[in-house]
Every structure is written in C-alpha cells, then in structure tokens.
Amino acid sequence: MPLRGFTPLLLWILPVWRVLTPVNAHPPLSRCHLMQNTAVCNDRRLSSVPADLSQNIEELQLHQNHITTLTDDSLRRYPALRTLSLACNELTTIQSAAFRDSHVLTSLNFANNSLSVGFHESGAALNELRTLQSLDLSENKLDEEMVGVLLGNLTSVERLNLSGNVIQRLDEDIFRRLHRLTELDLQRNFLFEIDNAFHGNHKLQRLNLAFNSLPCLTDFHLTQLQVLNASNNLIDWFISRQDVNETFQLETLDLSHNNLLFFPFLPTRSHLQNLYLSDNRLSFYEHLDNSTNPNITTTVEFYNLKNYAANVTAQLWQEDLHGDVSSLLILDLRGNHVTYFPQGFIQKMPLLSRLKMSVNCLEKLNFTSERFSGSLYELDVSRNELNHVQASDDDLRTLGNLTYFNLSQNNLSFLPTRLFPSLLNLRSVDLSYNDIDVCVEEPVNNFSRCVDWKHVRNLKQLYLKSCNIKNIPNSAFSGMSLTHLELSENPGLNVEQSLQTLWTTLQHLGLGNTKIQNFDFSEFQSLKSLNISSNSLSQFPTSLRQIGLKSLDLRDNVLSTIPADQAGALATTLTTVYLTGNSFNCCQTEWFRTFEKQETLNIADKSDIKCVDFFRRTHFVERFDPSLCFVQTEPLFWYIVLFVPVCVSFVGISVILLLTVKPKVLENSIKKKCLKPTPY
Ligand SMILES: *[C@@H]1O[C@H](CO)[C@@H](O)[C@H](O)[C@H]1NC(C)=O
Ligand SMILES: *[C@@H]1O[C@H](CO)[C@@H](O)[C@H](O)[C@H]1NC(C)=O
Ligand SMILES: *[C@@H]1O[C@H](CO)[C@@H](O)[C@H](O)[C@H]1NC(C)=O
Ligand SMILES: *[C@@H]1O[C@H](CO)[C@@H](O)[C@H](O)[C@H]1NC(C)=O
Ligand SMILES: *[C@@H]1O[C@H](CO)[C@@H](O)[C@H](O)[C@H]1NC(C)=O
Ligand SMILES: *[C@@H]1O[C@H](CO)[C@@H](O)[C@H](O)[C@H]1NC(C)=O
Ligand SMILES: *[C@@H]1O[C@H](CO)[C@@H](O)[C@H](O)[C@H]1NC(C)=O
Ligand SMILES: *[C@@H]1O[C@H](CO)[C@@H](O)[C@H](O)[C@H]1NC(C)=O
Ligand SMILES: *[C@@H]1O[C@H](CO)[C@@H](O)[C@H](O)[C@H]1NC(C)=O
Ligand SMILES: *[C@@H]1O[C@H](CO)[C@@H](O)[C@H](O)[C@H]1NC(C)=O
Ligand SMILES: *[C@@H]1O[C@H](CO)[C@@H](O)[C@H](O)[C@H]1NC(C)=O
Ligand SMILES: *[C@@H]1O[C@H](CO)[C@@H](O)[C@H](O)[C@H]1NC(C)=O
C-alpha cells in the first residue's frame, strides 16, 4: 500500500517543520499566549523579552526561558506593566534604565537566576522603582553585601523573598529602609547571626528563617510579628525579652528540628496559638534538686558584645517562666525527652485542642493532676513509656470533646475501667503494642487489664495491633458501628463470630499475622481495605471475590496462584494490591497479567514479586518468560513420564507375542525381506 511508505516520511518531516516555523513562518507573537491583559510566554526558549506584544499588557510571564540581560529598552513598550516574572532564566544583569518607564510595576519575580553576577547595575535599576510591592530574589546566589546593594533605597516593598541564597549574617542596615515590609522569606540560607536586623521593619508580620544555621534566638522582641518560622536550625535557646509590656502579636512559632534543651522562654503576653517544638531535646527539670547539687547553674546570661543593653538573663529552673501560653491551640512536642508535665503547665492552656506528645518519655498520664480542658480534641501520647493512666469520673466528663486518642506503643497493661466508655465523642482510639485485652466479662474494678468496647458506641476507628489478644468474645463489638478495625499481629486470634455485628459498617479490617484460615469475607458489605498478610494462607480466599475491595494485602503467605476468575473479578475493583513474600508458581501466573493489564490497579512492589519454577528455582514474576512453561510444564513432563513406560511395556508385549504366538509369521517376513530382489 502506498500509504505505508508515506507515513514514516511524514513523521520524519514533522519535527523539522515544527522547529522551523517559529523562526520563519509565524511572527514571534505566536510564542506567547494572551489572556486579557496577561501575556504568558513560559518555556519558549526566548533569549529576550518579546517586543511585539500589545502595549496594554499588565502582566508578563517569562518563566523558564534563556534571557540573560534585561536591557534598558526591554520594557519600554509596556508602560502599563504591573507584574513581571522572569523566574528560572539565566539573568545576570538588569541594565540600570530598564525600569525607567515602568511607573506602575508592583510585582517582580527573579527567582532562580544569577543576579549575583551583575548586582551593582541591577541594584541601580531596582532603585528606580517607587511602586514595587513584591520582590522575589530567591535562588540567586546572593550574599548579604549583594542583597544590601540590590535593596538599596527600595522603600515600598512589602513582600520580599530571599530564600535559597548564601546570606550568612544580617546587620542592622540591610533591611533598614524597608519600612513597609510585612513578609520576609530567608529560608535555606547560611545565616548564623542576626544583629538587630529588623528594628526598622515595624510592619513585619511573617518571617521565615527555616533551614539556616542559627545557634540561638535571644532577646526576641518583634512584638508585631505574627508568624516566626525558625525550624531546622541549630537553636539551643529561644528567649523573648521579658520586660516588654506590650502584647506580642505572635500566633505561630515553629522551632521544630533544633537543639532546644529547655521549653522556649515565650513572651509574657501574647496571642500564641500554634507552637511547634518537635524534634528537639526538650525536657522539664523540676525534679533536678538543687539541694543535692548546690553548685548547679541557675541562670544563663547572653551578652551582646556590641550593645550591652541587650544582655539577657534567664532563670533556668523557674518553670513558671514559660511565658503566656493561654491562647495555645496546638502544641507539638513530638520527638523530645519530656518525662512529665510541670505542675499547672497544662492548666495554663485552657483552649488547647491538639497535644502531640508522640516519641517522648512520659511514664504516667494523670488527668486528675494535669487538668486538661474541655477543648482538648486530639491527644497523641504514642511511643512513650506510659505504664499508668489515671482519670476520675470528673476528669472524664471534662474531656467530653476528645475525639482522637493515641496510646499506641507504650507499656500499658491496665487502664481505668471507665476511660473509654466515658469519652462520648471518641472517634479514633489506638492502643496498639500494649498489653490490653478485649474483655470477656464486664470488669468490676476501677482498673482493668481489658477494655469492654460495647459501651463505646460512637467509636469508628479502633486499632489493637499486637496487643497479645487471643480471644474476642462474640458480642465484643455489638451495638458499635466501627469503620476501621485493626487486629493484626495478634497470632492465634479467634475473631470471626465477633465481627458479624460489623458486617455492614466495616471499611478497613486488619487481620495480618493472626493465623486465620478459611475466613468468610462474603458478608462484609462495605469493606474496602483488607490486610491478611503473614497468615500462611495456601489458598486464595474465594469469598473476597464479590465484596468490591479497593486495597488488599496478601504479603507473606504461601499462595501458589490466584485463580483466573478470582483475579478477573478483583482486578475490576482493586486499586492497590500487595503480593510479595509468596511462593507463586511461575507457570500459573495468568493472574499477574490480568492485574498488570488493569490500568486502575497498582501492584505495589511489582518488580519484587517472586515465583518458583518446576525445578524450585526462584524468578521474578515480572521478568519470567511464560513460554518456558511449554517446555517444562508439569503436565507435559508427567505425560512423558507416564507415557514412556506404557510404550515400552506395549512394545515389549508385542515383541513377546510375535516371538511366541506366531514365530512363523516372523520367519516368513524376514525371509521375504531378505529374498527380495534388489531393484538394481
Ligand atoms: C532553577 O532553574 C534550573 C534551570 O532552569 C532548574 O533545573 C532548577 O530545578 C531550578 N531550581 C529551582 C529550585 O527551582
Ligand atoms: C539612597 O539614597 C541616598 C540619598 O537619598 C543616596 O545618597 C544613596 O546613594 C542611595 N543609594 C542607592 C543604592 O541608591
Ligand atoms: C520563596 O521562594 C522559594 C523558592 O523560589 C519558594 O519555595 C517559597 O515558597 C517562596 N516564599 C514565599 C513566601 O512565597
Ligand atoms: C516552616 O518552614 C518549613 C520549611 O519551609 C516548612 O516545612 C514548615 O511547614 C513551616 N512551618 C510552618 C508552621 O508553616
Ligand atoms: C513596663 O511597665 C512597668 C510598670 O507598669 C514600667 O515600670 C516599665 O518601665 C515598663 N517597661 C517598658 C519597657 O515599657
Ligand atoms: C534551690 O532552688 C530554690 C527555688 O528555685 C531556691 O529558692 C533556692 O535558693 C535554691 N537553693 C540553692 C542552694 O541554690
Ligand atoms: C561546689 O563548689 C565548691 C567550691 O567551688 C566545691 O568546694 C564543692 O565541692 C562543689 N560541690 C559539688 C557538689 O560539686
Ligand atoms: C551586660 O553584661 C556586661 C558584661 O557582664 C556588663 O558589663 C554590662 O553592664 C551588662 N549590661 C546591662 C545593661 O546589664
Ligand atoms: C494523680 O493526681 C492526683 C491529684 O494530683 C493525685 O492525688 C494522685 O495520687 C495522682 N495519681 C498518680 C498515680 O500519680
Ligand atoms: C467542647 O467544645 C465546645 C466548643 O469547642 C465547647 O463549647 C464545649 O463546652 C466543649 N465541651 C466540653 C465538655 O468542655
Ligand atoms: C498512633 O501513633 C503511632 C505512632 O506514633 C502511629 O504510627 C499511628 O498511625 C497512630 N495511630 C493513628 C490511628 O493515627
Ligand atoms: C514496663 O512496665 C513494667 C512494669 O509494669 C516494667 O517492669 C518494665 O520495665 C517496663 N518496660 C519498659 C520498656 O518500660
């Protein structure tokens, strides 16, 4: 057919045609996409600002081009320009008169360029701008001197982005003239010192200092600041100036991923709502008795060598100096060394709604002494060393709003009997990795080694992984409408009957490593996610076929195949399946191809699924060539094995018959053959 020869030729010509057209056939205008007063010319391999756009444009986007210089006449034609974005170019210089006619320019984005090269000339150009409000100079390899020059006399800027540069220290001059600055991003620099740098920025509200090398923040007194992010530094101390009478406007303070040993010395009056202190080395030290250790330091002083007025003295052991935490809503203390809460500490936070204490060293949780408030919504004390939880009926009534309670990975072997039945709004409870059973009978004492879940009627999610549970009574979950139930890692668990009451509601069920066999899943009408890994299952559970699962974990069983009809039915509903750690038969992997073909299905760790061939050799299913099975499949081999003796016997019998019954026939035939005359 002639068309066949023509198509490859056409395909070969097309790319050439496409490369040539922008240069020759169309005017460069076609490179930009115009929408009202915005011209979008991103990623068009431009080496200069297009000169043929409408004069009225107010916004010009030129991301990811190859512009190296913004020349004096680049923008002359666009006097109405308000927003210019040149991010990700190769810009080294802005010529000094580039903005001479830009009288309404308010927003400039030079992120990810090389302005460190021509910073003197570029600074002169920027300093002509009187209306600029937003300036992005991130990722330009700028140091503090270059920044000083570039900012020069710019007074109108409100939002400044200097992230991802090489700034090491900030002195009092650098931002001095930026009187209107409200937002400053300095993350991902090499800052190790800040010396009174923000004293002129009375409107600064958001300051990001994350990912620098700051060793401490002492004498903090930016009363107007609302958000301070100093995460991922080397901060040992955070100390606010204590003698300020004004109320600090601070709402969010992020000091996570630092080296804090002490709780930060917060302002005495503030509106602080969100305090992030995760991944420090923080603890409380009330129990450090100064009578046995009289020489222990009681104060720490910080001297400002240049300016003695800024000396800071902090009384270390006086734990009432944590500052004003009365507005706190979120306190994140994950990953610290907290062993207890100082007396009255929690009580000082009447609005606290989320307390995250995961990965600390708490040994007991006494709701009576801590006096949590009624606004507590989420309490995560997982991965501590809790061996005791105490709560009176009064405490539990107060905690009426508690919705999420994570006690997993502690050392609990008993709990207050009334704890869960009294918390009427509980939705999610995690008790995994504790020694807590499910009660067979209703407990009578105040503390119990088991929990009677029947009375926790609003609970939706219950996690009881690895609690050493053996037997769950049939009525354990009656009257509940759990959607998530995690019972994995309880080997030998007897559970099937008790789940009948959850047939209509359960969406996730975890039964990994429980050694269940022959479990009937067919009645679970809402089940979407099922974990039956590590159960030594040799047969694929046929009851899974009809229930419309989305996620299925079958890892570490001893399955040899998944029957074709089952695989076909599952593939239509599943979105994720886990299958590694089985001993699949390499020559019965039709299911794999069924799953693979289904675009909506993700086979997790697909390339790690292994199978075993007839000679007990291990292969990766994905790379195994099924055609090898025709040579060495079991049936063929067995046919040969069985067929050969049958043939041999048959031939043997025939020969014997021939030799004994009709020896004459044989003789005759031999004779005949031998006596036959040759044709030549
Ligand atoms: C900066 O631009 C270069 C090239 O345009 C790109 O490869 C790189 O990912 C960009 N970096 C960032 C942080 O955006
Ligand atoms: C800033 O303004 C002052 C006086 O207004 C001038 O002397 C100085 O040279 C200017 N600096 C820059 C970098 O433009
Ligand atoms: C500053 O720039 C960086 C990198 O270009 C970006 O990730 C960050 O979001 C910007 N900051 C603000 C406040 O827009
Ligand atoms: C602080 O900055 C880091 C890095 O940009 C970011 O991951 C974190 O979410 C920020 N913290 C807050 C409270 O916004
Ligand atoms: C704070 O107020 C007290 C008395 O109300 C006063 O003696 C002190 O000087 C004030 N401090 C400042 C820094 O204004
Ligand atoms: C021990 O600490 C208390 C309270 O912090 C203080 O009153 C007392 O003087 C201290 N004793 C010594 C020996 O430092
Ligand atoms: C405390 O300091 C004094 C004098 O410096 C010294 O004699 C004494 O042994 C110290 N005590 C302790 C417990 O270190
Ligand atoms: C700060 O400390 C230095 C060194 O101890 C001292 O000389 C100076 O008087 C102190 N300044 C104030 C204001 O306390
Ligand atoms: C819990 O706190 C209350 C009140 O402070 C106290 O009476 C009780 O002994 C504490 N319980 C434990 C186990 O510490
Ligand atoms: C639960 O929270 C609401 C509002 O957040 C509050 O009005 C109510 O008093 C709280 N309940 C308890 C038991 O404190
Ligand atoms: C409880 O905390 C553990 C450890 O921090 C975490 O792995 C688990 O997902 C949490 N449980 C729930 C239900 O969020
Ligand atoms: C757990 O608690 C028991 C006593 O209840 C104690 O003997 C054991 O050391 C604790 N284990 C850990 C890891 O804290």
Side-chain angles (χ1 to χ4, degrees):
M1 281 185 286
L3 197 61
R4 243 195 213 154
F6 181 67
T7 327
L9 184 69
L10 190 69
L11 288 176
W12 183 81
I13 286 173
L14 254 173
V16 179
W17 180 73
R18 272 168 53 180
V19 170
L20 292 178
T21 39
V23 186
N24 301 334
H26 293 279
L29 184 61
S30 64
R31 287 186 256 182
C32 298
H33 178 65
L34 268 166
M35 283 182 302
Q36 287 168 337
N37 288 326
T38 301
V40 181
C41 321
N42 300 332
D43 202 3
R44 296 294 157 108
R45 299 186 207 163
L46 297 170
S47 56
S48 62
V49 176
D52 51 2
L53 302 169
S54 151
Q55 296 209 348
N56 306 328
I57 55 163
E58 292 177 6
E59 180 169 350
L60 178 52
Q61 293 184 16
L62 288 160
H63 302 184
Q64 284 164 314
N65 285 293
H66 302 295
I67 300 172
T68 55
T69 308
L70 194 64
T71 56
D72 282 340
D73 52 1
S74 298
L75 303 176
R76 203 151 277 165
R77 294 193 61 252
Y78 310 119
L81 207 58
R82 290 175 178 278
T83 302
L84 172 64
S85 177
L86 278 159
C88 301
N89 276 272
E90 290 144 26
L91 201 63
T92 58
T93 314
I94 307 167
Q95 289 186 348
S96 55
F99 298 120
R100 190 141 293 167
D101 302 306
S102 305
H103 298 297
V104 292
L105 200 61
T106 57
S107 173
L108 270 177
N109 183 352
F110 294 123
N112 201 355
N113 280 288
S114 307
L115 285 178
S116 56
V117 178
F119 69 96
H120 276 292
E121 191 168 3
S122 305
L126 287 174
N127 274 288
E128 299 216 331
L129 289 166
R130 291 284 156 262
T131 50
L132 195 61
Q133 289 170 5
S134 171
L135 176 60
D136 190 339
L137 292 171
S138 61
E139 314 267 350
N140 270 283
K141 302 188 189 66
L142 301 172
D143 63 19
E144 52 271 29
E145 188 207 337
M146 299 169 181
V147 170
V149 173
L150 284 167
L151 296 180
N153 285 348
L154 275 179
T155 53
S156 57
V157 172
E158 292 168 15
R159 292 178 302 280
L160 176 60
N161 194 341
L162 289 167
S163 75
N165 282 295
V166 293
I167 306 169
Q168 293 186 317
R169 58 183 306 280
L170 301 175
D171 64 16
E172 47 194 337
D173 284 334
I174 189 162
F175 305 123
R176 188 154 55 95
R177 298 185 196 84
L178 300 177
H179 306 298
R180 299 209 191 141
L181 197 62
T182 60
E183 180 169 345
L184 176 58
D185 193 342
L186 279 162
Q187 61 176 312
R188 296 177 203 276
N189 276 280
F190 298 94
L191 282 174
F192 66 88
E193 190 179 21
I194 299 178
D195 187 6
N196 219 0
F198 308 112
H199 68 115
N201 316 117
H202 298 292
K203 293 193 169 158
L204 191 59
Q205 291 178 345
R206 308 173 72 86
L207 176 58
N208 195 337
L209 298 169
F211 291 101
N212 278 285
S213 309
L214 293 168
C216 57
L217 285 177
T218 56
D219 196 32
F220 172 72
H221 61 274
L222 299 173
T223 51
Q224 78 293 343
L225 205 63
Q226 291 172 4
V227 180
L228 173 59
N229 191 339
S231 65
N232 296 279
N233 277 275
L234 308 168
I235 296 174
D236 289 322
W237 299 97
F238 179 88
I239 301 177
S240 348
R241 194 183 278 181
Q242 301 292 319
D243 62 356
V244 179
N245 290 343
E246 249 178 285
T247 302
F248 283 66
Q249 302 301 311
L250 197 62
E251 283 173 9
T252 300
L253 175 59
D254 190 344
L255 291 168
S256 54
H257 297 273
N258 277 295
N259 293 331
L260 291 174
L261 279 168
F262 288 83
F263 196 83
F265 292 73
L266 299 171
T268 14
R269 268 185 285 273
S270 79
H271 298 302
L272 191 60
Q273 294 181 353
N274 312 306
L275 181 55
Y276 301 101
L277 299 170
S278 62
D279 296 292
N280 278 282
R281 295 181 289 154
L282 209 147
S283 184
F284 297 103
Y285 306 95
E286 226 166 39
H287 60 278
L288 271 186
D289 187 358
N290 61 0
S291 61
T292 58
N293 203 355
N295 292 354
I296 200 163
T297 321
T298 55
T299 58
V300 57
E301 300 189 13
F302 295 90
Y303 301 119
N304 186 324
L305 297 177
K306 230 163 122 191
N307 178 5
Y308 279 145
N311 286 359
V312 174
T313 304
Q315 302 288 326
L316 287 186
W317 315 108
Q318 264 169 279
E319 305 216 320
D320 51 339
L321 276 180
H322 301 307
D324 183 1
V325 286
S326 62
S327 314
L328 269 195
L329 302 177
I330 299 178
L331 176 57
D332 184 353
L333 274 165
R334 284 175 297 173
N336 280 289
H337 301 323
V338 176
T339 52
Y340 72 101
F341 297 115
Q343 206 177 355
F345 179 69
I346 300 287
Q347 222 180 327
K348 281 197 257 169
M349 312 173 200
L351 304 175
L352 191 66
S353 92
R354 286 161 210 266
L355 178 59
K356 303 177 187 224
M357 291 297 302
S358 184
V359 195
N360 274 285
C361 319
L362 291 176
E363 285 178 10
K364 61 181 183 187
L365 183 62
N366 188 342
F367 286 104
T368 312
S369 55
E370 308 309 352
R371 312 186 84 163
F372 283 93
S373 82
S375 48
L376 193 66
Y377 173 87
E378 175 184 323
L379 178 57
D380 184 354
V381 284
S382 63
R383 300 179 68 189
N384 278 270
E385 289 154 23
L386 291 178
N387 53 46
H388 191 88
V389 174
Q390 175 144 350
S392 69
D393 284 352
D394 274 351
D395 305 329
L396 294 172
R397 259 193 297 281
T398 315
L399 288 172
N401 278 329
L402 192 62
T403 302
Y404 173 95
F405 195 6
N406 195 338
L407 282 159
S408 75
Q409 300 188 57
N410 277 290
N411 192 14
L412 291 167
S413 49
F414 56 89
L415 284 169
T417 307
R418 301 280 315 137
L419 183 62
F420 296 113
S422 305
L423 298 173
L424 296 177
N425 272 310
L426 269 186
R427 291 285 184 280
S428 182
V429 170
D430 195 337
L431 274 172
S432 303
Y433 303 96
N434 287 293
D435 208 355
I436 299 288
D437 211 337
V438 178
C439 294
V440 178
E441 294 165 15
E442 217 163 294
V444 284
N445 298 327
N446 284 343
F447 286 94
S448 162
R449 307 189 66 86
C450 63
V451 179
D452 184 13
W453 294 107
K454 277 196 292 295
H455 301 288
V456 197
R457 293 189 185 263
N458 290 324
L459 197 67
K460 297 287 177 219
Q461 311 192 337
L462 178 58
Y463 299 83
L464 296 171
K465 198 172 181 177
S466 192
C467 287
N468 203 12
I469 303 173
K470 290 275 178 266
N471 193 24
I472 296 187
N474 292 353
S475 62
F477 306 120
S478 63
M480 301 180 75
S481 47
L482 287 180
T483 59
H484 287 61
L485 180 59
E486 183 54 76
L487 292 167
S488 295
E489 311 292 335
N490 288 298
L493 183 70
N494 177 6
V495 67
E496 186 154 4
Q497 300 290 315
S498 60
L499 296 186
Q500 290 186 0
T501 52
L502 303 175
W503 274 351
T504 52
T505 56
L506 215 51
Q507 293 168 20
H508 168 84
L509 177 58
L511 291 173
N513 191 19
T514 48
K515 303 290 169 266
I516 51 137
Q517 295 281 336
N518 306 323
F519 198 101
D520 183 5
F521 295 100
S522 52
E523 300 288 345
F524 288 91
Q525 295 153 25
S526 312
L527 202 62
K528 294 284 168 269
S529 157
L530 176 65
N531 176 357
I532 43 173
S533 60
S534 306
N535 280 322
S536 317
L537 296 176
S538 55
Q539 298 285 319
F540 184 82
T542 48
S543 58
L544 289 183
R545 194 186 154 147
Q546 316 124 18
I547 57 176
L549 277 183
K550 289 203 177 307
S551 169
L552 176 59
D553 191 342
L554 279 166
R555 277 174 291 190
D556 302 312
N557 281 296
V558 287
L559 297 175
S560 62
T561 187
I562 300 175
D565 55 334
Q566 307 274 339
L570 274 173
T572 55
T573 63
L574 277 183
T575 53
T576 313
V577 64
Y578 304 84
L579 291 161
T580 50
N582 280 286
S583 46
F584 290 113
N585 181 337
C586 290
C587 293
Q588 295 176 14
T589 54
E590 250 171 88
W591 57 268
F592 186 77
R593 269 153 276 287
T594 310
F595 283 177
E596 217 179 12
K597 253 183 263 158
Q598 190 76 29
E599 273 172 20
T600 50
L601 174 56
N602 168 33
I603 311 175
D605 302 324
K606 183 166 149 189
S607 52
D608 292 338
I609 304 174
K610 289 180 187 159
C611 65
V612 179
D613 70 10
F614 182 68
F615 302 104
R616 311 299 309 163
R617 286 176 311 203
T618 306
H619 303 268
F620 288 106
V621 176
E622 197 179 19
R623 279 183 259 147
F624 184 76
D625 177 6
S627 66
L628 293 176
C629 291
F630 295 114
V631 185
Q632 57 194 37
T633 45
E634 289 174 49
L636 190 61
F637 183 85
W638 286 114
Y639 288 144
I640 296 168
V641 168
L642 291 171
F643 194 66
V644 167
V646 171
C647 293
V648 170
S649 326
F650 184 75
V651 171
I653 290 164
S654 313
V655 170
I656 292 165
L657 279 178
L658 281 171
L659 289 177
T660 53
V661 183
K662 285 192 175 170
K664 278 178 190 160
V665 178
L666 186 69
E667 265 168 33
N668 285 349
S669 67
I670 291 172
K671 275 180 203 156
K672 256 187 191 166
K673 259 195 180 159
C674 296
L675 295 174
K676 232 180 183 175
T678 45
Y680 45 87

